[in-house]
Amino acid sequence: MSDPDAWAEACAEDLEAEKARRRAERGAGPGSAAEEFRKLFDAVAGKVSEGFGNPLLTGQAVRTVQQLVDQAKAAVEPVVERNPQVFDHLAAAGNEILAAYRSAVEGHETRWTREETPAEEPPRTPREDGEGPGTGQHIDLD
């Protein structure tokens, strides 16, 4: 007779080993929203510091750009350090807004691509005086 706990432990160990193998293959996955923001900011700051490869930016212009990048980093870094959970909330809110937008667009696309006419619209009958479409009902204006 086998021990069910031993089987569960062996499965858990195999699963962890497989996860570790996949992490080693693909590298580390995305970090928290704050870490990803920091990486993005560093990449953008690096590009700005390089002047986007513009040979016209030399001397004082490069130093000014680098100074602005350093000031922005000094202002942003403490905010990220003190409030990393804010970025997680902002990322979640962004995902919710995107889901709401997708839902709205899908609803409109469904209505736009439907070929049938709406059922609530009554058929038009010609007016008695021949002046165009009408409901065929007399309207008393007095």
Side-chain angles (χ1 to χ4, degrees):
M1 190 162 189
S2 65
D3 182 16
D5 289 334
W7 178 254
E9 287 176 25
C11 288
E13 289 172 3
D14 288 347
L15 181 61
E16 287 304 314
E18 180 63 19
K19 286 180 182 178
R21 184 186 68 77
R22 289 184 183 200
R23 275 192 301 268
E25 268 183 11
R26 290 186 236 146
S32 70
E35 291 168 354
E36 293 301 312
F37 176 74
R38 190 176 291 120
K39 288 178 192 176
L40 174 65
F41 188 82
D42 288 341
V44 171
K47 281 294 186 186
V48 169
S49 295
E50 294 169 6
F52 297 103
N54 188 346
L56 299 176
L57 288 178
T58 58
Q60 183 59 38
V62 171
R63 285 190 293 276
T64 302
V65 168
Q66 185 61 46
Q67 185 179 14
L68 289 173
V69 167
D70 292 341
Q71 287 176 349
K73 244 184 183 177
V76 168
E77 192 63 34
V79 173
V80 173
E81 288 296 321
R82 283 191 308 258
N83 304 304
Q85 70 279 6
V86 169
F87 293 94
D88 292 332
H89 290 296
L90 289 173
N95 287 334
E96 290 296 320
I97 290 171
L98 181 59
Y101 174 77
R102 281 184 181 151
S103 177
V105 168
E106 287 172 359
H108 285 296
E109 284 178 343
T110 301
R111 286 190 296 277
W112 292 334
T113 57
R114 218 178 346 182
E115 292 185 25
E116 70 231 27
T117 59
E120 63 272 357
E121 187 175 314
R124 300 285 181 173
T125 57
R127 291 180 12 186
E128 292 175 8
D129 59 3
E131 290 292 321
T135 62
Q137 298 174 354
H138 177 72
I139 300 174
D140 187 11
L141 298 176
D142 289 327

